[in-house]
Amino acid sequence: MTAASAVANVLSFDLEHWHTATLLRDVVTDRTDRIDESVTVVTDLLDEHDVRATFFTVGEVAREYPAVVADLAADGHEIASHGHTHTPLYELDEATFERELALSTDAIRDVTGERPIGFRAPNFSVGPRTRWAFDALDAAAFRYDSSLFPVRTPMYGVSGAPIRPYALRQVRPFVGDGDVEEVDSFLEFPLAVFNPSFRLPIAGGFYARMLPVGVLKRGIRSLNRRGIPATLYFHPWEFNPAVVTNGIAPHKRFVSFHGIERLEGKLDALLDSFVFDSVQGVIDRHGW
Ligand SMILES: [Zn+2]
């Protein structure tokens, strides 16, 4: 055992309909949900390793598949909010976002009996233009957000944002503007990047499907060596090759589906090598 292996990393899944993913929602015609079969692949793997995770769940999915979400909660997984309709925040304003939060909170509470304390924006869509999200989350009694990708990518991300979990009151994620310092004791769990000078995303999803598992391991280890938990995200549908769709633009097909048949083996290898827990579990372990 090394010191790095003692750091508990965050394992999370965004539980949404695969056909509402940002790159797919306007182009796929087969909208078969595949929620149950996809979630089962993930929960079998988690059970095998006795690991708890956070499922950032779309409110509409909780309404449509209450038994799936209730089973996850009963197995000790954390159910957090991924919005109500999986609409990126840049397509909402503060008022409609507050309504999304309220609807998703009610949907999750009706299924689990508990209100969610965590949030992840669809398509990591919290940035300087949607900074009002933090005030809305804080006002709605959320405890943490996990939407900030601390590297700029073609679709999302905030370059220069901190890479370790932090309280928003203490650190400014948006360079040059201190507005978010007003938010008190609200935590941010940024998605994992490898090497702060270059910031290669290793957080999961497309990056985990594309990169060799050895690179993912080196990245997580480099964070853990500095005492930083890596926050990883996946989608249950990324473990289900049945969602692979032909007849869409090559780049959308590549980003959405490349490596989907090997992801289960990669996550299995990561679960063998590192300690993982839900966001709530990591907060509790650290006493944050
Ligand atoms: Zn999503």
Side-chain angles (χ1 to χ4, degrees):
M1 296 284 281
T2 63
S5 66
V7 174
N9 299 287
V10 168
L11 181 61
S12 66
F13 296 88
D14 295 355
L15 181 50
E16 66 206 32
H17 288 312
W18 67 276
H19 48 76
T20 63
T22 308
L23 286 180
L24 300 174
R25 59 182 179 172
D26 298 326
V27 294
V28 297
T29 49
D30 173 3
R31 293 180 178 268
T32 309
D33 287 346
R34 308 191 187 281
I35 287 282
D36 305 71
E37 64 196 61
S38 305
V39 168
T40 299
V41 176
V42 167
T43 50
D44 283 353
L45 196 54
L46 297 182
D47 287 349
E48 210 176 290
H49 292 269
D50 196 24
V51 166
R52 305 291 166 269
T54 296
F55 286 79
F56 291 97
T57 302
V58 170
E60 287 182 343
V61 171
R63 287 278 182 228
E64 292 163 23
Y65 293 86
V68 171
V69 177
D71 283 351
L72 288 170
D75 286 344
H77 301 298
E78 177 186 8
I79 309 299
S81 172
H82 194 38
H84 192 66
T85 59
H86 204 254
T87 306
L89 269 53
Y90 45 72
E91 294 176 13
L92 303 171
D93 57 25
E94 188 164 2
T96 47
F97 176 62
E98 285 170 1
R99 182 163 170 72
E100 281 260 330
L101 268 187
L103 288 170
S104 76
T105 296
D106 288 349
I108 289 168
R109 187 172 43 201
D110 285 353
V111 171
T112 67
E114 287 183 44
R115 54 167 303 135
I117 63 160
F119 175 77
R120 175 171 294 145
N123 207 33
F124 307 111
S125 53
V126 172
R129 280 191 300 142
T130 51
R131 64 180 61 211
W132 36 259
F134 291 131
D135 290 328
L137 287 163
D138 196 44
F142 279 75
R143 190 64 224 296
Y144 72 86
D145 172 72
S146 182
S147 305
L148 277 185
F149 225 104
V151 59
R152 184 68 200 156
T153 77
M155 288 174 72
Y156 45 71
V158 180
S159 64
I163 64 170
R164 61 169 68 237
Y166 52 95
L168 280 169
R169 141 177 83 81
Q170 296 166 344
V171 181
R172 298 176 297 166
F174 307 129
V175 175
D177 192 324
D179 288 353
V180 293
E181 283 184 306
E182 300 294 321
V183 182
D184 194 23
S185 54
F186 179 85
L187 297 171
E188 173 64 32
F189 282 81
L191 284 305
V193 294
F194 179 18
N195 187 343
S197 58
F198 178 67
R199 298 206 169 187
L200 174 70
I202 52 156
F206 167 67
Y207 312 105
R209 285 185 274 113
M210 186 186 61
L211 294 168
V213 72
V215 174
L216 304 175
K217 284 185 181 179
R218 279 175 56 201
I220 296 169
R221 215 173 280 128
S222 77
L223 290 168
N224 288 178
R225 260 192 229 110
R226 286 179 286 156
I228 303 174
T231 295
L232 302 192
Y233 77 96
F234 299 93
H235 303 84
W237 60 262
E238 287 179 293
F239 296 84
N240 186 355
V243 303
V244 176
T245 305
N246 294 312
I248 61 176
H251 80 280
K252 290 187 176 183
R253 187 184 153 91
F254 181 75
V255 173
S256 301
F257 303 129
H258 177 77
I260 210 165
E261 62 290 329
R262 292 187 300 278
L263 191 57
E264 188 180 347
K266 286 182 176 177
L267 181 55
D268 191 28
L270 295 179
L271 292 171
D272 271 338
S273 304
F274 299 96
V275 178
F276 284 99
D277 205 336
S278 63
V279 182
Q280 174 73 73
V282 169
I283 288 175
D284 290 346
R285 284 169 191 246
H286 287 268
W288 287 337

